[in-house]
Amino acid sequence: KTGDFTRALDLYRQTKDEEEESVDIVTINTMMNACNNNHRFSDTLQLFDENLKHNQHCFDRYTYCHALNACANTLSLQHGLSVIRELKTSFYADDLMVKAAIMRLFGKCGELETAQ
């Protein structure tokens, strides 16, 4: 991995502040993926929550998977359950990639029976 993750995150936040509109889903997913790749799982979840809070959630399967993977990596079952609650209001509740991320979350959090 090369680059300056902190600078990328700062640029994302600056762009979001300047536009005063919702950031497009590709940019959100790219930043969440970068956070996960750099083991900055709390930043991934913060991005998810910020966009959800500001009603800017035109989330797709990748957004949910990034958030669920961050929850799995931090063993944050409660946060994962809140992502799942939000997910159930979307079109992606039955998506196989999303279901795999949910199973991974439950598995890593020791909820093997729930994962089945």
Side-chain angles (χ1 to χ4, degrees):
K1 298 176 198 174
T2 60
D4 186 347
F5 172 77
T6 304
R7 186 166 179 205
L9 188 58
D10 289 344
L11 181 60
Y12 168 85
R13 293 194 190 290
Q14 179 184 0
T15 301
K16 188 173 179 181
D17 290 343
E18 287 175 0
E19 291 182 9
E20 295 182 14
E21 296 178 11
S22 63
V23 176
D24 66 273
I25 193 63
V26 173
T27 303
I28 294 167
N29 286 341
T30 301
M31 201 65 242
M32 289 176 73
N33 187 47
C35 291
N36 279 346
N37 287 340
N38 284 278
H39 304 279
R40 303 276 299 261
F41 306 115
S42 61
D43 288 323
T44 302
L45 296 173
Q46 183 178 4
L47 290 173
F48 181 86
D49 291 342
E50 284 173 4
N51 286 290
L52 181 63
K53 179 180 177 185
H54 297 302
N55 205 18
Q56 299 171 355
H57 55 98
C58 52
F59 297 154
D60 63 14
R61 72 174 58 159
Y62 301 104
T63 318
Y64 290 111
C65 287
H66 293 316
L68 290 166
N69 287 333
C71 292
N73 283 310
T74 57
L75 303 178
S76 178
L77 182 59
Q78 292 306 311
H79 204 145
L81 292 173
S82 71
V83 172
I84 292 168
R85 278 191 295 279
E86 175 61 29
L87 169 66
K88 287 183 178 180
T89 67
S90 76
F91 298 108
Y92 300 101
D94 291 325
D95 183 86
L96 291 177
M97 194 166 93
V98 172
K99 285 184 174 183
I102 292 170
M103 287 189 293
R104 182 174 182 267
L105 167 69
F106 288 138
K108 284 196 81 169
C109 291
E111 297 289 327
L112 298 178
E113 290 180 16
T114 307
Q116 294 173 350

